[in-house]
Amino acid sequence: MISFTKIKLYGNKKGMDFMRVSQLLNPTLREVPAEAEIVSHQLMVRAGLIRKSAAGVYTYLPLGLRVLKKIENIVRQEMDAKGGQEILMPVIQPAELWKESGRWDIYGAELFRLKDRHNREFCLGPTHEEIITDLIRGEVRSYKQLPLLLYQIQNKYRDERRPRFGLMRGREFIMKDLYSFDQDEAGLNKSYQKMYDAYCRIFSRCGLRFRPVEADAGAIGGTGGTHEFMVLADSGENGVVYCPDCNYAANVEKAECRPQAIEDVEIDDQRKLVHTPEVGTIDEVCKFLAVPKTRLIKSLLYQGDDRVFLVLIRGDRELNEIKLNNALGGFVSLQLASPDVVEKTLGCKPGFVGPIDVPAGLLVIADEEVPLLKRAVCGANKADYHFVDTVPSQDFRIDQVFDLRTVEPGEACLKCGAPLKEARGIEVGQVFKLGTKYSKALGAVYLDENGEERPCVMGCYGVGVSRSMASSIEQNHDDAGIIWPIPIAPYHCIIVPVSTKDAQVVEAAEKLYQDLQRLGVEVLLDDRDERAGVKFKDADLVGYPLRVTIGSKTLGNGQVELRERKTGETQLVLVEEVAQQVKNIIDKANSF
Amino acid sequence: MISFTKIKLYGNKKGMDFMRVSQLLNPTLREVPAEAEIVSHQLMVRAGLIRKSAAGVYTYLPLGLRVLKKIENIVRQEMDAKGGQEILMPVIQPAELWKESGRWDIYGAELFRLKDRHNREFCLGPTHEEIITDLIRGEVRSYKQLPLLLYQIQNKYRDERRPRFGLMRGREFIMKDLYSFDQDEAGLNKSYQKMYDAYCRIFSRCGLRFRPVEADAGAIGGTGGTHEFMVLADSGENGVVYCPDCNYAANVEKAECRPQAIEDVEIDDQRKLVHTPEVGTIDEVCKFLAVPKTRLIKSLLYQGDDRVFLVLIRGDRELNEIKLNNALGGFVSLQLASPDVVEKTLGCKPGFVGPIDVPAGLLVIADEEVPLLKRAVCGANKADYHFVDTVPSQDFRIDQVFDLRTVEPGEACLKCGAPLKEARGIEVGQVFKLGTKYSKALGAVYLDENGEERPCVMGCYGVGVSRSMASSIEQNHDDAGIIWPIPIAPYHCIIVPVSTKDAQVVEAAEKLYQDLQRLGVEVLLDDRDERAGVKFKDADLVGYPLRVTIGSKTLGNGQVELRERKTGETQLVLVEEVAQQVKNIIDKANSF
């Protein structure tokens, strides 16, 4: 055996929660970067938190990474508190598993795919249902091993067609994903509730103003319920409706509608074919015929995978394609039929499609409000002609009726009747009842108490870690920069000596820097040889919660200035008391 | 603004450093998995630390991830202590940067490559010189910003032809990589020494027996020095020579050789062409001609990229292709010339190549020992013929002489003359002086004190985090399983109640479990309804440093059994004292 060089070890147990700004890689910018459309993206670049490495792909600089790690740790603590066990699954996933689940072919262009040197196919995981179900089918045998809550915090990949908004819609981003495995639906419901509660705590602790909303199951599949956790911000890409009187809130994609009849009288008139030349849009048709949009039936020929069907909805309503797809059982691809298909199916152009005298084999489905119409206008399947005074179900066939429209603000809440309001939201988390979709496909089964084989009942639960960071900035900023909530701030406090030439000021700053370190406050000392104004601007831009300014004037009275970034309030504090005061403010904010 | 649901928050500040085994996903196996060739791979699978997701791609289960995180934290602390700043760079890297550095075309099949939906090329980073140099060229302007030490801990990718040995040679693995940017060579030398020292501390703290060895620069490029940190283990893929008397140690690929002359007499004889039918190997030739291998010249026609040259080395020596490649300035591809090329160049088969009367344009290079030969045998460039009694430089041309051979154990240390010894090593870290290769290629320049533009002088420094975990097991195990050093153990201590039916035993176990938690000891309670033997076997297999066994017999005397995994030593300890005793052992091991 080799005799080793003796290595002298010295004490250094903690990570570095303090730093001199002169040594910190924190390149701040005064100008707004041209490519950054939303404020969080602008401020993250300007404050030197991130830099772009490729479209939708970022490098986290030291301060950005610190925020990220703080959010990760909050997530980790709350997952652990609910009995979650942290694991780490691979980023590169073999295609075989995705073929077993059936998602390899249907996931589409957002899946990054690659081949290894032996030409075997892989993808970069956008999510890990396949990998974890494969793990569980190998390791779980008995009901005694359930429930299991397994999570990881890791890079995820989505080949966005148009990556933008910085960390909001990146191609490489960081998520926490937890998967629950239970014996039955009752177990799943418990796991789901645990995660729902944990998510409320996570986003509260991160200082986010958020709302859990009912949501659509989307591409992950599964039959159970799902909630999205929406951070409310004008830049949000999601529409949310909520009731100001009760706790109802939903993604507009999902929000159920109560059908509303319009006042009208029944008529005895037969329907009439009317020449409607040179009118194309619904507005033009209504104007030409002098009828309100509420009495027009929009007739839309849709193609879901290989199947063609006719969809009817009132002229003043917006068709909700997600509801449409769910109503018909879920197509991989759903879109308006091309003009060719319309011509072939109904013998006319898309603008004149109508439900009357359509081929016997064509499925006709209608929004709930259509059968309530008493006399309606519709296309005649003939160029430049419409029918007026048609009566649904009498003049034409309706095969199935569903809630197919998008809710509108002002409509009555389904729960309490109060008028709904609308907001914009950023989705930072989702909890999802998967059921047995993946456990059945991949054979993740267990033996129950009676020795019978049953599939695990699964849930999945995601938190967008990097997106939560961006969302916090959307909610917490002003013209000067970011305003971090203390629990996720990159550092708690920055010390700004007004002059680096005044020995007393420098000495007081150095002493406070040491004192705050000793108290466990995460502290920066802005020791740069810059004007005070530059230092203040940078401190405001990065958004440290507390700033202690040390100048010769106040120091003459034994005082320093303590300023809160959020309120802008300043106070003079005795130099020997400021460290403890800072510590108290931090501790109060971090107590939960 | 929406009014939010009130969320009640409760206290839970710490992560979970305690757990009941009944709830832990820790699937242990009694059998050795067939595919696992080395002990660390076998034990990691058997102890339920990892599971394979694809060839060379693993999932870390809860206990495996805990070990990994501990190593990561040790690495992080030591990097921070040297002024390193943690950042996080992307896994997917745009091809453009690799084309700028020139590595896109030369990196070969080990680089995982992929295209996005717009057909743009990316790779999965095996290393991050390009990304970080791109970052620095955008952010660093002045010498005042240097030095910079930036690091990350992250997944790395290498498309191994034959992934094996578990985490030792995976395709997705975890590394710490730090990059240093300095003004000049003197600065680089300082940064290099900092990292060298930090690495010694890291591997010491991880409880590894290791040795820094001089190494070859390899594919990363750069002109300066490099050391590899080798964990010594029989399963190591690297050969290491070291001097037992001084501190010299080197990778065999790199170790310099002192040329050794063999005793021989000069002769006046002219060289003779000898018919040597049906002899192929060197052994056969020597036997046929009755000469020792030391007097034979191996003549090898090599092809480096598009260039062909002849290499001469003594018959008893092993040609070191890495030295050969370095000697000639570095080829992208270097290999023995194919029989076709040999035929075309010298008109014979590879077995009969020799240096005499070769074409004038053919470069002939020789190991230092070849010119020292006084009468040698060599091929005649003619099937079934050799020359004997040839005299180098007289009978044939030697254009250049280098140290081209691989060192052998027993040779004299170049520093002190003592006989060198040989060992096997696992490379867990490397420190590397890159110089200006990347900063020049990508234009990462700064203005010096005189306002002149100069390229940053770079270094790079890697630690194989997942590989360190495997290496620790190679060094620390016995027939029963893993023996974790305390600083990287998944949990410090496991409590084993011998019976789960004895109320007193259960109560004592539960109390100790609480007490140890309160003391901050990472503790497991094996509350499973299993026989004590099964629990002991699992505890030994996973390798927790300390085990407290609670049985009714000793408990009757107010005692429990404390056992150290490493030594197997057990002692009876008073039940009210055991928690503090455990705590003391842990603290002592973690003090550094």
Side-chain angles (χ1 to χ4, degrees):
Chain A
M1 178 44 77
I2 295 182
S3 63
F4 293 94
T5 318
K6 282 265 184 292
I7 290 148
K8 195 161 174 293
L9 299 181
Y10 51 91
N12 166 48
K13 226 168 226 175
K14 296 257 176 182
M16 297 290 265
D17 275 343
F18 48 89
M19 191 94 190
R20 290 171 195 273
V21 176
S22 63
Q23 286 162 25
L24 181 68
L25 180 66
N26 178 225
T28 54
L29 304 173
R30 292 287 167 259
E31 266 83 59
V32 175
E35 63 174 31
E37 297 171 58
I38 60 171
V39 72
S40 60
H41 188 190
Q42 292 165 4
L43 286 174
M44 266 193 263
V45 174
R46 286 187 56 209
L49 306 183
I50 60 170
R51 284 294 181 265
K52 188 171 98 167
S53 291
V57 179
Y58 292 87
T59 289
Y60 296 86
L61 299 186
L63 295 186
L65 185 60
R66 284 182 69 88
V67 175
L68 201 67
K69 294 270 175 196
K70 291 197 172 185
I71 298 173
E72 282 185 16
N73 279 333
I74 289 172
V75 170
R76 185 171 282 123
Q77 287 166 8
E78 297 299 336
M79 293 298 101
D80 288 353
K82 297 298 184 190
Q85 298 184 56
E86 189 172 359
I87 63 173
L88 185 59
M89 292 181 274
V91 164
I92 52 175
Q93 305 187 5
E96 289 78 42
L97 289 178
W98 284 69
K99 287 173 180 167
E100 266 191 84
S101 75
R103 288 207 292 184
W104 185 256
D105 292 327
I106 66 174
Y107 212 89
E110 285 193 354
L111 192 64
F112 270 113
R113 297 162 204 252
L114 71 159
K115 288 182 180 172
D116 73 4
R117 64 198 295 161
H118 305 299
N119 231 24
R120 287 194 205 98
E121 289 176 305
F122 288 83
C123 66
L124 303 185
T127 172
H128 280 70
E129 281 82 7
E130 283 80 1
I131 292 277
I132 193 128
T133 310
D134 176 48
L135 176 72
I136 291 303
R137 73 173 158 188
E139 306 305 338
V140 167
R141 299 273 168 272
S142 155
Y143 71 96
K144 290 181 192 165
Q145 293 169 273
L146 302 176
L148 272 175
L149 303 173
L150 300 170
Y151 76 97
Q152 61 173 354
I153 300 175
Q154 199 205 40
N155 273 352
K156 291 278 185 286
Y157 295 84
R158 192 183 292 150
D159 193 359
E160 294 277 355
R161 199 170 55 79
R162 200 190 147 207
R164 58 193 161 147
F165 303 149
L167 299 189
M168 284 296 184
R169 191 162 282 280
R171 298 201 284 179
E172 178 177 89
F173 51 98
I174 297 172
M175 276 192 68
K176 184 282 303 180
D177 44 330
L178 182 141
Y179 304 87
S180 66
F181 294 84
D182 279 283
Q183 294 188 47
D184 49 28
E185 288 289 330
L188 169 60
N189 288 340
K190 273 188 209 164
S191 295
Y192 187 88
Q193 190 61 45
K194 279 185 187 172
M195 286 300 113
Y196 185 101
D197 294 345
Y199 278 32
C200 289
R201 284 182 51 83
I202 288 167
F203 299 122
S204 297
R205 286 182 60 187
C206 289
L208 292 167
R209 296 182 297 282
F210 69 96
R211 187 134 191 168
V213 305
E214 294 177 10
D216 179 72
I220 307 179
T223 52
T226 175
H227 285 85
E228 289 165 347
F229 286 76
M230 291 286 187
V231 163
L232 302 160
D234 292 339
S235 63
E237 293 192 88
N238 295 277
V240 170
V241 290
Y242 65 96
C243 175
D245 287 3
C246 74
N247 66 357
Y248 178 75
N251 192 316
V252 289
E253 290 177 349
K254 156 80 178 178
E256 289 169 44
C257 300
R258 195 191 293 273
Q260 289 166 33
I262 57 164
E263 285 191 26
D264 212 336
V265 287
E266 286 184 38
I267 47 162
D268 293 329
D269 295 5
Q270 283 291 323
R271 67 171 188 254
K272 286 180 284 288
L273 188 65
V274 179
H275 189 220
T276 51
E278 288 169 38
V279 297
T281 65
I282 285 171
D283 282 332
E284 288 167 353
V285 173
C286 290
K287 195 173 167 196
F288 185 89
L289 296 173
V291 293
K293 282 200 278 182
T294 48
R295 275 184 39 211
L296 184 118
I297 297 173
K298 263 191 286 195
S299 307
L300 303 161
L301 199 69
Y302 262 83
Q303 181 155 5
D305 300 340
D306 292 336
R307 196 167 151 209
V308 171
F309 47 88
L310 187 63
V311 181
L312 310 180
I313 190 166
R314 232 168 63 183
D316 61 325
R317 297 302 196 187
E318 196 187 328
L319 177 69
N320 183 324
E321 285 192 354
I322 287 167
K323 287 185 177 179
L324 175 62
N325 199 10
N326 289 342
L328 295 182
F331 297 103
V332 172
S333 122
L334 175 72
Q335 57 199 357
L336 273 169
S338 66
D340 282 0
V341 172
V342 174
E343 182 72 43
K344 206 174 125 192
T345 311
L346 298 169
C348 68
K349 290 200 171 129
F352 300 95
V353 167
I356 294 175
D357 295 334
V358 297
L362 183 68
L363 180 73
V364 180
I365 70 170
D367 177 67
E368 293 172 324
E369 291 182 337
V370 173
L372 305 180
L373 292 172
K374 299 202 178 85
R375 41 194 296 233
V377 170
C378 62
N381 294 326
K382 184 177 174 185
D384 296 339
Y385 279 90
H386 281 80
F387 281 112
V388 300
D389 294 339
T390 67
V391 181
S393 300
Q394 181 177 312
D395 284 326
F396 54 88
R397 165 172 60 86
I398 296 178
D399 298 316
Q400 293 176 43
V401 173
F402 300 102
D403 169 13
L404 294 178
R405 68 187 179 87
T406 300
V407 74
E408 288 166 21
E411 287 193 40
C413 170
L414 277 186
K415 288 202 174 170
C416 76
L420 291 174
K421 293 197 169 187
E422 196 175 25
R424 304 300 300 170
I426 301 163
E427 187 199 331
V428 289
Q430 186 163 18
V431 292
F432 208 102
K433 293 182 187 174
L434 285 171
T436 55
K437 173 175 169 169
Y438 294 94
S439 52
K440 277 185 179 161
L442 278 82
V445 296
Y446 70 94
L447 295 179
D448 69 12
E449 294 186 55
N450 305 317
E452 272 172 51
E453 205 170 68
R454 298 174 61 185
C456 295
V457 182
M458 294 172 56
C460 68
Y461 316 86
V463 168
V465 176
S466 39
R467 187 183 275 190
S468 293
M469 177 173 164
S471 303
S472 173
I473 298 175
E474 289 292 329
Q475 284 192 336
N476 303 293
H477 68 269
D478 60 17
D479 289 345
I482 303 168
I483 304 170
W484 289 114
I486 288 175
I488 63 171
Y491 284 89
H492 298 143
C493 180
I494 185 164
I495 303 167
V496 179
V498 170
S499 160
T500 51
K501 308 211 159 45
D502 183 323
Q504 269 193 309
V505 166
V506 170
E507 195 187 320
E510 287 283 349
K511 182 170 183 309
L512 179 59
Y513 183 50
Q514 308 291 340
D515 289 347
L516 286 171
Q517 286 175 39
R518 259 192 293 278
L519 289 172
V521 172
E522 301 172 20
V523 60
L524 288 177
L525 173 62
D526 196 344
D527 59 338
R528 292 177 299 168
D529 185 19
E530 294 277 3
R531 284 179 300 108
V534 170
K535 295 183 185 184
F536 292 159
K537 275 215 165 72
D538 277 348
D540 279 355
L541 177 57
V542 178
Y544 309 105
L546 297 172
R547 189 184 84 202
V548 179
T549 309
I550 305 184
S552 53
K553 268 188 211 162
T554 58
L555 199 60
N557 302 323
Q559 290 175 319
V560 296
E561 184 197 88
L562 176 60
R563 179 170 179 272
E564 227 173 309
R565 174 70 181 91
K566 192 173 175 183
T567 59
E569 280 169 21
T570 61
Q571 50 176 315
L572 289 174
V573 180
L574 286 176
V575 67
E576 59 266 29
E577 286 175 8
V578 70
Q580 190 58 51
Q581 194 158 334
V582 166
K583 165 84 169 152
N584 293 347
I585 294 171
I586 306 303
D587 284 352
K588 194 176 160 203
N590 277 331
S591 70
F592 52 89
Chain B
M1 178 44 77
I2 294 181
S3 63
F4 294 92
T5 318
K6 282 265 184 290
I7 291 148
K8 197 163 172 291
L9 300 181
Y10 51 92
N12 165 49
K13 226 166 226 178
K14 297 258 176 180
M16 298 290 265
D17 276 342
F18 49 89
M19 191 97 189
R20 289 170 194 274
V21 176
S22 63
Q23 287 163 26
L24 181 68
L25 180 66
N26 178 225
T28 54
L29 305 173
R30 292 286 168 259
E31 264 84 61
V32 176
E35 62 174 32
E37 297 170 59
I38 60 172
V39 72
S40 60
H41 187 192
Q42 292 166 2
L43 285 175
M44 266 193 264
V45 173
R46 287 188 54 208
L49 306 183
I50 59 170
R51 285 294 181 266
K52 188 172 97 168
S53 292
V57 178
Y58 292 87
T59 289
Y60 296 86
L61 299 186
L63 295 186
L65 185 60
R66 284 183 69 89
V67 175
L68 201 68
K69 293 270 176 198
K70 290 196 174 185
I71 297 173
E72 282 185 17
N73 278 333
I74 289 172
V75 170
R76 186 171 281 123
Q77 287 165 7
E78 297 300 335
M79 292 298 102
D80 288 353
K82 296 298 185 188
Q85 297 184 56
E86 188 173 1
I87 63 174
L88 185 60
M89 292 182 274
V91 164
I92 51 175
Q93 306 187 5
E96 290 78 41
L97 290 178
W98 284 69
K99 287 174 180 168
E100 266 192 82
S101 75
R103 289 207 291 184
W104 185 256
D105 293 326
I106 66 173
Y107 211 89
E110 286 194 353
L111 193 64
F112 269 114
R113 297 162 203 252
L114 71 160
K115 288 182 178 172
D116 73 4
R117 63 197 295 160
H118 305 299
N119 231 24
R120 288 194 204 98
E121 290 174 305
F122 288 82
C123 66
L124 303 185
T127 172
H128 280 71
E129 281 83 7
E130 282 81 1
I131 292 277
I132 195 131
T133 310
D134 176 48
L135 176 73
I136 291 303
R137 74 174 158 186
E139 306 306 338
V140 167
R141 298 273 167 273
S142 155
Y143 70 97
K144 291 180 192 165
Q145 293 170 273
L146 301 177
L148 272 175
L149 303 174
L150 300 170
Y151 76 96
Q152 61 174 353
I153 299 175
Q154 200 205 36
N155 272 352
K156 293 277 186 283
Y157 294 84
R158 195 182 291 150
D159 193 359
E160 294 277 355
R161 200 170 52 81
R162 199 187 148 209
R164 59 193 162 149
F165 303 149
L167 299 189
M168 284 295 184
R169 191 162 283 281
R171 299 202 284 179
E172 179 177 271
F173 51 97
I174 297 173
M175 278 193 67
K176 184 282 305 180
D177 43 331
L178 182 143
Y179 304 87
S180 66
F181 294 84
D182 279 283
Q183 294 188 45
D184 48 29
E185 288 289 331
L188 170 59
N189 288 340
K190 272 187 209 166
S191 296
Y192 187 88
Q193 189 61 44
K194 279 185 187 175
M195 285 301 112
Y196 185 100
D197 294 345
Y199 278 31
C200 289
R201 284 182 52 84
I202 288 167
F203 299 121
S204 297
R205 286 182 60 187
C206 288
L208 292 167
R209 296 182 297 281
F210 68 96
R211 186 131 193 173
V213 305
E214 293 177 11
D216 179 72
I220 307 177
T223 51
T226 176
H227 284 85
E228 289 165 347
F229 286 76
M230 292 286 187
V231 162
L232 301 161
D234 291 339
S235 63
E237 293 193 87
N238 294 277
V240 170
V241 290
Y242 64 97
C243 176
D245 286 4
C246 74
N247 65 357
Y248 178 75
N251 193 316
V252 289
E253 291 178 348
K254 157 79 178 178
E256 289 169 43
C257 300
R258 195 191 294 271
Q260 290 168 30
I262 56 162
E263 283 190 29
D264 214 335
V265 287
E266 285 185 38
I267 46 161
D268 293 331
D269 294 7
Q270 283 290 320
R271 67 173 188 252
K272 283 181 284 290
L273 187 65
V274 180
H275 190 220
T276 50
E278 288 169 39
V279 297
T281 66
I282 286 171
D283 282 333
E284 286 167 355
V285 173
C286 290
K287 196 175 168 195
F288 184 88
L289 296 173
V291 295
K293 282 200 277 184
T294 48
R295 275 182 41 210
L296 185 118
I297 297 173
K298 262 191 287 194
S299 308
L300 303 162
L301 199 68
Y302 262 83
Q303 181 155 4
D305 299 342
D306 292 336
R307 200 170 149 206
V308 171
F309 46 89
L310 186 63
V311 181
L312 310 180
I313 189 165
R314 233 169 61 184
D316 60 323
R317 299 302 197 186
E318 196 186 327
L319 178 69
N320 184 323
E321 286 193 352
I322 286 166
K323 287 184 177 178
L324 174 64
N325 201 7
N326 289 341
L328 294 182
F331 297 103
V332 171
S333 123
L334 175 72
Q335 57 199 355
L336 274 170
S338 67
D340 283 359
V341 173
V342 175
E343 182 70 43
K344 208 173 125 193
T345 311
L346 299 170
C348 67
K349 290 198 174 134
F352 299 94
V353 168
I356 294 176
D357 296 333
V358 297
L362 183 68
L363 180 73
V364 180
I365 70 170
D367 177 66
E368 293 172 325
E369 291 182 337
V370 172
L372 305 180
L373 291 173
K374 300 203 177 86
R375 41 194 297 232
V377 170
C378 62
N381 295 324
K382 185 177 173 184
D384 295 337
Y385 281 91
H386 281 80
F387 281 111
V388 298
D389 294 340
T390 66
V391 181
S393 299
Q394 182 177 310
D395 284 326
F396 54 88
R397 166 171 59 87
I398 296 177
D399 297 317
Q400 294 177 45
V401 174
F402 300 102
D403 168 13
L404 293 179
R405 68 185 179 88
T406 299
V407 74
E408 288 167 21
E411 288 194 39
C413 170
L414 277 186
K415 286 200 174 171
C416 76
L420 291 173
K421 294 199 168 188
E422 197 175 26
R424 305 301 299 171
I426 302 164
E427 186 198 332
V428 289
Q430 185 164 17
V431 291
F432 208 101
K433 293 182 187 173
L434 284 171
T436 55
K437 173 176 168 169
Y438 293 93
S439 53
K440 276 183 178 161
L442 278 82
V445 295
Y446 69 94
L447 296 178
D448 69 11
E449 293 186 54
N450 305 316
E452 271 172 50
E453 205 169 69
R454 297 174 62 184
C456 294
V457 182
M458 294 172 57
C460 68
Y461 316 85
V463 168
V465 175
S466 39
R467 186 182 275 190
S468 293
M469 178 174 164
S471 302
S472 174
I473 297 175
E474 289 293 329
Q475 284 192 335
N476 304 293
H477 67 271
D478 61 16
D479 289 346
I482 302 168
I483 304 171
W484 289 112
I486 288 175
I488 63 172
Y491 284 88
H492 298 144
C493 179
I494 185 163
I495 304 167
V496 179
V498 170
S499 159
T500 51
K501 306 207 160 46
D502 183 324
Q504 267 193 309
V505 166
V506 169
E507 196 186 319
E510 287 282 349
K511 182 171 183 309
L512 180 59
Y513 182 51
Q514 307 292 339
D515 289 347
L516 285 171
Q517 286 174 38
R518 257 192 296 276
L519 289 171
V521 172
E522 301 172 19
V523 60
L524 289 177
L525 173 62
D526 196 343
D527 59 337
R528 292 176 300 166
D529 186 17
E530 294 277 3
R531 285 179 298 109
V534 170
K535 295 183 185 183
F536 292 157
K537 275 218 165 71
D538 277 348
D540 280 354
L541 177 58
V542 178
Y544 308 104
L546 298 172
R547 190 185 84 200
V548 179
T549 309
I550 305 184
S552 53
K553 268 189 211 161
T554 59
L555 199 60
N557 302 324
Q559 290 174 318
V560 295
E561 184 197 89
L562 175 59
R563 179 172 181 271
E564 228 173 307
R565 174 70 179 89
K566 193 173 173 182
T567 59
E569 282 169 18
T570 61
Q571 50 178 314
L572 289 174
V573 181
L574 286 176
V575 67
E576 59 266 28
E577 286 174 9
V578 70
Q580 191 59 49
Q581 193 159 333
V582 166
K583 165 84 170 153
N584 292 347
I585 295 170
I586 306 302
D587 284 352
K588 194 176 160 204
N590 277 331
S591 71
F592 51 88

